[in-house]
Amino acid sequence: MVFDWLAREGWIVVNWWLLVTLAGLAALPLCTRLLGALPDKGYTPARAAGLLLVGYVFWILGSLGFLRNTAGSIILSWLIVLGIALAAYFSGQRLNWRDWWRSNRTAVIIGEILFLVLLFGWALVRAHLPDLRTTEKPMDLMFLSSIMRSPTFPPNDGWMAGYSISYYYFGYFISAMLGTISNISSTYAYSMTAALVVALTGLTSFGVVYNLVRSRTRVPSDEGNGDGQAAGSRWAVAAGLVGMLMIVFMGNFQLALIEIPFETRTAPESYLSLTGTQEREVYPEREAARASGVADDQPVTLTPPTQWGYWWWFRASRVLNDYDLQGQVMPNWYAQPIDEFPQFSFVLGDNHPHVTALPYVLLVLGLALNVLLKGTFPNRAEIAFYSLAIGALIFFNTWDGPIYLIALVGADGLRRLVRGQGRLEWRDGLQMAGLGALLLVLALLFYLPFLISFRSQASGLLPNVITPTFFSHFFIMFGPFILLLGVYLIMEARRAGWRMNWSLGLKLGLALVGLLLAVMLLLILAALLVAPSTLNQLNQFVEPFGGLGGALGPIVMRRLQGVPVLLFLLFLIVTTVARVFPRHLGARNDQDEKIKNQSDRVVVNYPPATAFALLLVVVGAGLVLVPEFFYLRDNFSTRINTIFKFYYQAWLVFSIASAYAVYVILGDSSLRVGAVVRGAYGVLAVVAIGAGLLYPVLAVYDRMFLESGRARAENPAPLSIDGGPQLIAATDYEAIMCWQRQLNGTVPVVAEALGGAYNPAYGRVAGLTGVPIVLGWENHENQWRGATYGQVAGSRSADIPSLYSDLRWDEAQVILSRYGIDYVFYGSSERQQYGSSGEEKFIENLEPVCAVRDGQGDVVSVFYRVTDRALQTAPQS
């Protein structure tokens, strides 16, 4: 079956591998010039950089009207990138490729194998279940199809005819670019996007950790070893693979600590109640028994993994559970915190912006490492490239831009710190601020055409008063990193000895917490004085206590439950700052004989690689810390999206830092770490990472064979990465495909039924073809357009039902003219939603196109073409 699939669709995977590789080769000369401080000279991030550059050139020239959305324009963009890269390469000292190959050949070979295996492997996973129906996949498909269909840019919004996309769509854009040049439909390109993101994330994460470990050099230390050589290639490759496993495949502890005990009924119910994760607090059998008055000690049913509930793996992204002040689960379950991680996203199969941005986030982390290792202030070409990459993150997934801008500027601060013997002067701070401002301004200018039309539902900040994160939830989510990084930081503190600047670490840690607390209190005060309506959610929770005054006690008690998480994050921040900013010689008694040794006079006794890993620890801790005090205000008015976005990025930076920690403790033989300690840490690493790797083993098998029904089917359907035929009713799909073949590149406007979100039976014409419909998933359009939605949508939500339900042709003519509708689709959703009586006016006045009949010979799916004559003539009946 697999070979049959390869014979039919394997060329598509090969095609994408070749296209992405060519993009990487086009950018490689530029990468060697701008990322020359990295040990691999920018080879591993070249593919991500190439796609970003080709995509940007194609997008900006198309947005400015110089290019149209064609395969030829994409090839021209690729040639432009290649020309720029070659010009940059030959403008200065050239790379000695023989020496480069001798130094990096192991990493290059492993990286190429890794990319190819991940690309084909995840395409095979998708071929078993090319799901396009569930969650928000129809939305992702609509964006992809709309961009592929749009003749110019900005691309049309398939669910809001007459308007361009108001969303961060660069990830969809790059996928559409690859789909267009490979001449495949969007339903194929969707699955290939999922496979490409896995492969590109794997390669780029491998490269970041490889370069980080390879750059580690020994410096004078308390052990008196003196200067040494860079870490060996084999150890760096091994660490890179560990980092790749953590980012791409590892899951959190929900499966090991919650799901397996729950499904196998091997844990007491008190254990589940104590952990309190979403929907896994009680056994269903006992809950039903109590509801019916039966004794609590009713037996429970043990179920094997093949019989676990539908989408059991989904619960790994719903670990956190927020409660009200009375201890009850917060209302509106759909607004509970989301704590995704990359492997969950890959198993789920959504191609959301936070997923498609993964390789490019890692690219920017590689750029930050390059800033640190280069040791000098970035030149103009580097600043331009860094700005382009930071701006791309805003375009990919807007919240990522500021996060990694801070990380990149932080790397510049580390460069100054290491070169300045552990000190930062005011001048350094001003120059860092200037670099950050310059990068941000240039990033905004590079992507101005997108930013001008972009609208967001975010509208300020809200205080987080009563929903701290419990340590049980925090440990289940970040357990592997808590264990690996906790031990590593303790050992770093021990290694630093008297140089640990505990005073500064404690001051800065407490100052950060104090600042976040002050912001939260100011938000509360501002809301009480200026906009009390913003505290409506808080009011409903304090009302049972007679108001805010009566609820102060319960609020304080609830906040105290979040102290363990706060203390651990403080431990990360304080220890890291104390290590990065060492105490100076003058801070000790000059008569101390120990420090008279020359090696002890060196203040910064850690390599730049360690500084970078510690920077990532601080960034991750800060991302987790912020939602404890406030969150972004959006349509949900809860911290759902802030937790979602920030925890996702924390997973990435914690993974890289943890992989580095594993190498330092297990692989750096220059450090005097006892065999017992190494062995214990090795066991800890195997257990922590292994427990996380249980998730993809069981979840991927569940999706590929159980959910797809292939494990039980005697004659399973052929493998295919095309999920289009299973997306909607067969007759609707046949009619839409027939109609699409007659468009000949035109972009008409279509009317179809208006229905609820998350339902693939609505918005399907735009989803499959990219042709704009009058209105698609209304609540999503509302989210994307924020305060402007009412003005943009107008009366569409009322006009569409009227178009189908009203029997009068003259009323239909008005609506058809108002939105410039060229076709009216009447399929299964329209008949179910509005009945068939309203169809008579279309039958009498419009021309049917691509009519599909059922087994009884009745037309069930059909397009009606709207002509100028039909709009001008009076109704026939």
Side-chain angles (χ1 to χ4, degrees):
M1 182 175 290
V2 173
F3 289 106
D4 175 68
W5 168 70
L6 288 173
R8 287 182 290 103
E9 298 179 354
W11 69 270
I12 300 176
V13 187
V14 173
N15 200 347
W16 278 50
W17 171 84
L18 180 61
L19 291 172
V20 176
T21 300
L22 289 175
L25 290 174
L28 184 58
L30 184 64
C31 289
T32 62
R33 177 69 60 210
L34 301 182
L35 305 180
L38 298 179
D40 73 354
K41 308 303 179 185
Y43 182 83
T44 50
R47 279 185 170 91
L51 282 179
L52 188 153
L53 290 171
V54 174
Y56 176 78
V57 170
F58 180 42
W59 170 78
I60 192 66
L61 293 180
S63 298
L64 296 177
F66 295 108
L67 295 178
R68 294 182 65 82
N69 188 9
T70 64
S73 296
I74 298 170
I75 295 173
L76 177 60
S77 301
W78 181 88
L79 292 174
I80 291 173
V81 170
L82 178 62
I84 294 173
L86 291 175
Y89 177 75
F90 288 109
S91 65
Q93 185 177 359
R94 302 174 192 176
L95 179 66
N96 186 323
W97 289 100
R98 180 176 296 178
D99 290 344
W100 172 85
W101 172 252
R102 186 181 303 113
S103 178
N104 294 281
R105 62 175 177 267
T106 303
V108 172
I109 294 171
I110 296 298
E112 290 302 313
I113 294 173
L114 180 66
F115 181 75
L116 188 63
V117 169
L118 290 178
L119 185 67
F120 270 90
W122 209 260
L124 181 61
V125 171
R126 286 289 305 176
H128 281 77
L129 185 67
D131 173 29
L132 294 176
R133 293 179 51 84
T134 55
T135 59
E136 292 177 313
K137 296 179 185 68
M139 177 198 82
D140 294 327
L141 180 64
M142 181 275 294
F143 281 131
L144 180 57
S145 299
S146 296
I147 297 170
M148 292 180 69
R149 172 71 60 176
S150 297
T152 58
F153 306 131
N156 299 320
D157 184 345
W159 285 349
M160 185 69 74
Y163 290 87
S164 60
I165 294 174
S166 179
Y167 199 55
Y168 22 87
Y169 62 85
F170 202 24
Y172 303 109
F173 184 88
I174 289 179
S175 299
M177 179 180 71
L178 293 172
T180 297
I181 197 171
S182 56
N183 195 30
I184 58 176
S185 70
S186 59
T187 51
Y188 282 97
Y190 187 102
S191 290
M192 284 309 305
T193 298
L196 177 62
V197 170
V198 171
L200 207 55
T201 301
L203 175 63
T204 315
S205 60
F206 166 80
V208 171
V209 178
Y210 168 82
N211 283 309
L212 181 63
V213 172
R214 194 74 195 276
S215 69
R216 176 181 170 85
T217 55
R218 295 188 297 275
V219 297
S221 66
D222 292 337
E223 295 154 4
N225 291 323
D227 291 324
Q229 300 298 317
S233 176
R234 292 183 180 179
W235 270 110
V237 167
L241 291 174
V242 171
M244 182 276 298
L245 285 175
M246 288 183 174
I247 290 178
V248 176
F249 289 105
M250 191 175 72
N252 58 25
F253 279 169
Q254 194 272 347
L255 176 61
L257 298 184
I258 302 298
E259 198 64 35
I260 290 178
F262 177 87
E263 297 289 358
T264 61
R265 309 306 198 259
T266 54
E269 197 169 48
S270 57
Y271 168 79
L272 297 174
S273 300
L274 179 65
T275 56
T277 60
Q278 295 182 32
E279 297 190 21
R280 291 295 185 263
E281 296 186 66
V282 295
Y283 290 128
E285 302 93 333
R286 288 179 176 165
E287 187 176 30
R290 293 180 192 128
S292 61
V294 181
D296 288 352
D297 59 354
Q298 290 296 304
V300 295
T301 304
L302 187 149
T303 55
T306 55
Q307 298 178 20
W308 289 1
Y310 179 71
W311 276 29
W312 58 264
W313 47 267
F314 191 86
R315 296 301 149 208
S317 70
R318 300 300 191 272
V319 169
L320 275 65
N321 216 357
D322 285 346
Y323 299 88
D324 63 21
L325 292 176
Q326 296 173 303
Q328 302 298 315
V329 176
M330 293 276 279
N332 299 334
W333 63 267
Y334 55 83
Q336 284 281 11
I338 297 174
D339 45 82
E340 279 194 30
F341 47 89
Q343 175 58 202
F344 168 85
S345 303
F346 300 152
V347 170
L348 179 63
D350 283 1
N351 286 334
H352 280 6
H354 67 279
V355 181
T356 57
L358 280 170
Y360 309 95
V361 163
L362 293 163
L363 168 64
V364 173
L365 285 177
L367 303 184
L369 179 60
N370 184 73
V371 169
L372 171 60
L373 296 179
K374 187 183 178 187
T376 59
F377 192 80
N379 59 38
R380 286 178 293 181
E382 290 166 345
I383 288 175
F385 184 53
Y386 298 162
S387 300
L388 196 70
I390 291 291
L393 293 188
I394 297 174
F395 199 178
F396 272 110
N397 188 40
T398 300
W399 297 24
D400 295 349
I403 293 172
Y404 292 100
L405 174 62
I406 293 173
L408 197 147
V409 173
D412 182 65
L414 291 179
R415 174 187 67 82
R416 299 167 183 275
L417 190 73
V418 172
R419 300 283 173 175
Q421 285 296 293
R423 293 182 184 273
L424 287 179
E425 306 293 343
W426 282 105
R427 182 179 63 180
D428 294 314
L430 292 175
Q431 290 176 348
M432 290 168 59
L435 174 62
L438 178 59
L439 291 173
L440 179 60
V441 169
L442 288 176
L444 297 179
L445 289 175
F446 281 139
Y447 294 90
L448 193 59
F450 159 71
L451 295 169
I452 289 174
S453 61
F454 177 64
R455 299 293 180 269
S456 173
Q457 59 174 312
S459 56
L461 300 174
L462 288 175
N464 178 17
V465 180
I466 64 171
T467 56
T469 301
F470 299 158
F471 191 81
S472 60
H473 298 160
F474 180 71
F475 183 77
I476 293 168
M477 179 62 195
F478 292 116
F481 312 124
I482 291 173
L483 298 174
L484 297 176
L485 291 177
V487 175
Y488 169 69
L489 289 179
I490 291 173
M491 297 190 69
E492 279 293 331
R494 177 178 173 275
R495 184 174 300 125
W498 65 267
R499 294 182 179 85
M500 288 293 290
N501 197 340
W502 292 111
S503 175
L504 178 63
L506 192 60
K507 289 177 182 177
L508 290 181
L510 293 177
L512 176 61
V513 173
L515 176 63
L516 295 175
L517 180 61
V519 172
M520 183 181 76
L521 295 176
L522 286 174
L523 290 172
I524 296 174
L525 181 62
L528 291 174
L529 296 177
V530 181
S533 62
T534 60
L535 293 180
N536 284 340
Q537 187 181 32
L538 176 61
N539 292 333
Q540 64 178 315
F541 297 125
V542 302
E543 186 177 351
F545 299 90
L548 185 59
L552 285 178
I555 289 175
V556 171
M557 295 302 296
R558 174 53 50 80
R559 296 300 307 188
L560 289 176
Q561 291 179 289
V563 167
V565 171
L566 185 62
L567 289 177
F568 181 79
L569 296 176
L570 269 176
F571 160 72
L572 295 182
I573 295 171
V574 170
T575 307
T576 300
V577 171
R579 177 65 169 132
V580 172
F581 293 88
R583 294 173 64 194
H584 283 251
L585 190 63
R588 286 178 55 92
N589 184 352
D590 288 340
Q591 301 303 315
D592 193 325
E593 292 296 327
K594 180 181 178 182
I595 65 173
K596 290 185 178 181
N597 182 281
Q598 182 62 37
S599 67
D600 287 321
R601 292 182 179 276
V602 176
V603 177
V604 177
N605 73 327
Y606 53 79
T610 293
F612 189 79
L614 295 176
L615 170 66
L616 298 185
V617 173
V618 169
V619 170
L623 289 170
V624 176
L625 187 61
V626 166
E628 298 300 299
F629 295 92
F630 54 86
Y631 50 89
L632 289 178
R633 181 185 183 187
D634 53 25
N635 290 1
F636 295 100
S637 294
T638 66
R639 63 179 190 152
I640 173 176
N641 265 330
T642 307
I643 289 282
F644 178 17
K645 302 288 188 178
F646 283 19
Y647 274 34
Y648 207 77
Q649 304 310 317
W651 186 279
L652 297 185
V653 294
F654 281 157
S655 293
I656 295 172
S658 296
Y660 179 78
V662 170
Y663 162 73
V664 169
I665 296 177
L666 299 183
D668 194 337
S669 59
S670 70
L671 303 179
R672 294 179 180 177
V673 179
V676 174
V677 175
R678 289 186 193 272
Y681 190 81
V683 171
L684 178 66
V686 170
V687 171
I689 298 173
L693 291 177
L694 288 174
Y695 182 82
V697 172
L698 296 180
V700 172
Y701 177 83
D702 187 273
R703 291 282 274 169
M704 288 178 65
F705 300 105
L706 300 181
E707 185 180 337
S708 67
R710 296 180 180 276
R712 296 177 294 272
E714 294 183 3
N715 296 302
L719 299 179
S720 176
I721 59 174
D722 181 13
Q726 294 81 40
L727 178 63
I728 56 175
T731 55
D732 289 356
Y733 182 80
E734 182 181 349
I736 292 173
M737 292 299 101
C738 168
W739 171 75
Q740 179 181 228
R741 289 190 291 270
Q742 302 184 22
L743 295 181
N744 296 321
T746 61
V747 187
V749 175
V750 179
E752 69 166 288
L754 183 63
Y758 302 96
N759 189 339
Y762 299 97
R764 60 212 191 278
V765 174
L768 286 168
T769 69
V771 174
I773 63 174
V774 178
L775 183 61
W777 290 4
E778 188 174 7
N779 68 324
H780 281 65
E781 286 287 349
N782 192 4
Q783 292 178 40
W784 303 333
R785 299 184 182 277
T788 66
Y789 174 74
Q791 178 183 357
V792 170
S795 59
R796 296 178 190 230
S797 60
D799 289 341
I800 293 302
S802 177
L803 175 66
Y804 282 97
S805 301
D806 199 307
L807 304 182
R808 296 170 295 176
W809 174 242
D810 55 345
E811 291 296 324
Q813 285 178 308
V814 173
I815 297 173
L816 294 172
S817 298
R818 179 175 298 157
Y819 302 107
I821 297 172
D822 300 292
Y823 292 90
V824 177
F825 184 53
Y826 228 108
S828 57
S829 298
E830 288 73 21
R831 299 181 192 285
Q832 181 179 1
Q833 186 95 347
Y834 308 115
S836 298
S837 57
E839 187 180 8
E840 291 298 322
K841 61 181 179 294
F842 300 132
I843 295 175
E844 295 172 354
N845 293 279
L846 302 180
E847 175 188 353
V849 178
C850 291
V852 177
R853 301 178 183 271
D854 60 15
Q856 287 71 43
D858 298 324
V859 174
V860 292
S861 300
V862 59
F863 284 86
Y864 291 100
R865 179 185 288 120
V866 180
T867 63
D868 292 338
R869 179 181 178 185
L871 293 178
Q872 296 168 2
T873 58
Q876 299 177 10
S877 61

